[in-house]
Amino acid sequence: MLVVMQAGASPEQISRVLDSIRALELTPHPLPGATRTAIGITGNTGAVDSRLLEVLPGVKECIRVTKPYKLASREMHSADTAFDIASTKVNSKTFTMVAGPCSLENEAMIMKTAEFLMENGVKLMRAGAFKPRTSPYAFQGMGLEGLEIFKRVKKRTGIGIVTELMDTEHAAAVEDAVDVIQIGTRNMQNFSLLKRVGLTRKPVLLKRGMSATLEEWLMAAEYVMAGGNYQVILCERGVRTFSDHSRNTLDLSVIPPAKILSHLPIFVDPSHGTGKRAFVPPMSLAALAAGADGLLVEIHPDPDRAMSDGAQSLDFPNFQKMLGSLRQIAEPLGRQMG
Ligand code: PEP
Ligand code: MN
């Protein structure tokens, strides 16, 4: 249910509606808009009796939200979600670049990558400190020591950091160290982890599960938002299909329906989506053209020696070349590179 307040509703009238929702043992989510405030309601298992709220002063109307996801739906929030991360923006006019190595391997390589990115106008860096590896014998990441390195990189270069959180145990440490908490494809339906990041106040980049439908993905976003964290970025990273020409099938066709059903920004990860570095630039351009709000790209100072995902990582010159091509098509598509 969505309670729409009148344009001139006073703060006292809004608080009274919030209190009435709480008195029904439901959770109110105030959603301030350009012209009026709306209040989303979650926590109900059956229908909410709208008559109890419609009679309150300042209430314009109550609208039933028909989708199973509520806070993530356009029905509840018609405008595109926008927010800032470090010194860059996520919104429908910006194409937000995030790039960096698959794994944080050591301080020197991450510092070098951050400096390179900042020099090239890319203000967000990705890198994994906790790595979900298929083999238990593969490099698992630098863990907590990596988070300390991130803090130093941020301090020295001013870059914003995106990193994956794999379990609830490290949630507080990751929230403290970085700017965006990434939830990986393997954890898209780890509901305890989703609830935990819902309690943080850092944006969450939610990768699509490798065989998740759009509805399942939006329900996962709903878990985060139900906890009060509304800064969620969806990230398409390829799904499993019969294709053997690429690691995954990058499903750019999910972008238009995601934009219709949800107000959340959507990024694309062409690196995991293809698994091969040669395919990353064309699919990045295609993502921009398809309406994506940003990219998450793997780059490495020396991809052939990377400790993980080297085959899909661009080297610095090829990444610069790709940035140049993206800049050329961003403006005609109504986007500014951010
Ligand atoms: C990653 O971004 O390094 C990663 C492990 O991604 P995914 O969860 O999409 O496989
Ligand atoms: Mn990777």
Side-chain angles (χ1 to χ4, degrees):
M1 169 99 69
L2 181 69
V3 182
V4 182
M5 300 301 294
Q6 289 162 0
S10 67
E12 293 73 30
Q13 289 174 331
I14 294 172
S15 316
R16 181 152 172 222
V17 175
L18 298 178
D19 289 343
S20 304
I21 295 168
R22 288 189 199 104
L24 294 167
E25 295 190 354
L26 301 173
T27 312
H29 301 266
L31 309 163
T35 53
R36 45 136 188 89
T37 291
I39 303 163
I41 301 178
T42 60
N44 52 304
T45 42
V48 180
D49 186 354
S50 61
R51 288 167 303 180
L52 299 170
L53 301 168
E54 269 162 359
V55 294
L56 297 174
V59 172
K60 180 167 177 270
E61 58 181 336
C62 293
I63 301 171
R64 235 189 96 212
V65 177
T66 55
K67 295 283 188 293
Y69 40 88
K70 308 290 177 190
L71 298 165
S73 77
R74 276 254 186 234
E75 287 180 76
M76 195 135 353
H77 191 283
S78 59
D80 287 325
T81 279
F83 47 85
D84 293 346
I85 305 171
S87 60
T88 191
K89 290 183 186 316
V90 176
N91 62 42
S92 53
K93 297 263 170 283
T94 310
F95 192 64
T96 309
M97 288 297 301
V98 187
C102 179
S103 303
L104 159 55
E105 299 171 359
N106 57 63
E107 188 153 353
M109 69 82 77
I110 207 72
M111 206 59 94
K112 187 170 167 184
T113 308
E115 280 162 359
F116 162 76
L117 289 171
M118 289 300 272
E119 280 161 18
N120 284 274
V122 177
K123 295 175 189 143
L124 289 174
M125 178 168 70
R126 59 144 295 142
F130 300 96
K131 293 304 301 176
R133 303 305 300 279
T134 303
S135 165
Y137 308 119
F139 175 56
Q140 304 285 307
M142 292 186 75
L144 291 173
E145 189 191 343
L147 299 184
E148 294 309 310
I149 296 177
F150 285 145
K151 289 182 193 167
R152 292 197 283 275
V153 174
K154 273 171 67 69
K155 199 162 166 199
R156 181 145 137 203
T157 65
I159 204 157
I161 308 274
V162 180
T163 205
E164 179 164 352
L165 171 68
M166 278 173 49
D167 46 58
T168 53
E169 182 193 342
H170 296 124
V174 168
E175 180 183 14
D176 175 55
V178 306
D179 300 277
V180 178
I181 303 171
Q182 177 174 325
I183 299 295
T185 193
R186 294 159 189 81
N187 274 318
M188 189 206 82
Q189 283 188 318
N190 179 339
F191 299 116
S192 22
L193 188 60
L194 297 175
K195 284 183 190 169
R196 180 63 186 82
V197 295
L199 301 177
T200 69
R201 289 298 170 262
K202 288 277 165 79
V204 173
L205 182 126
L206 179 63
K207 294 260 192 126
R208 180 182 181 182
M210 58 183 87
S211 60
T213 63
L214 175 54
E215 183 168 295
E216 287 162 345
W217 192 11
L218 294 174
M219 290 303 283
E222 188 75 17
Y223 263 90
V224 179
M225 300 174 85
N229 187 347
Y230 309 120
Q231 300 190 332
V232 177
I233 301 167
L234 303 169
C235 183
E236 161 62 30
R237 50 79 68 201
V239 291
R240 282 277 172 99
T241 69
F242 52 81
S243 290
D244 58 3
H245 60 267
S246 61
R247 180 175 178 182
N248 291 293
T249 295
L250 188 65
D251 182 16
L252 297 181
S253 77
V254 81
I255 299 171
K259 288 275 170 200
I260 292 170
L261 296 175
S262 178
H263 52 87
L264 294 173
I266 179 164
F267 285 14
V268 168
D269 172 350
S271 310
H272 294 86
T274 63
K276 293 180 189 166
R277 67 175 78 115
F279 306 160
V280 169
M283 296 317 288
S284 296
L285 294 167
L288 169 55
D293 299 296
L295 287 182
L296 185 82
V297 185
E298 286 185 340
I299 67 167
H300 194 283
D302 188 358
D304 292 333
R305 289 199 178 73
M307 293 173 84
S308 58
D309 286 348
Q312 67 193 34
S313 301
L314 292 172
D315 60 14
F316 291 179
N318 277 304
F319 178 69
Q320 275 174 318
K321 211 168 134 196
M322 182 176 97
L323 271 184
S325 313
L326 287 165
R327 286 201 175 101
Q328 279 184 9
I329 70 159
E331 211 180 289
L333 289 167
R335 295 267 180 177
Q336 263 203 315
M337 294 289 286

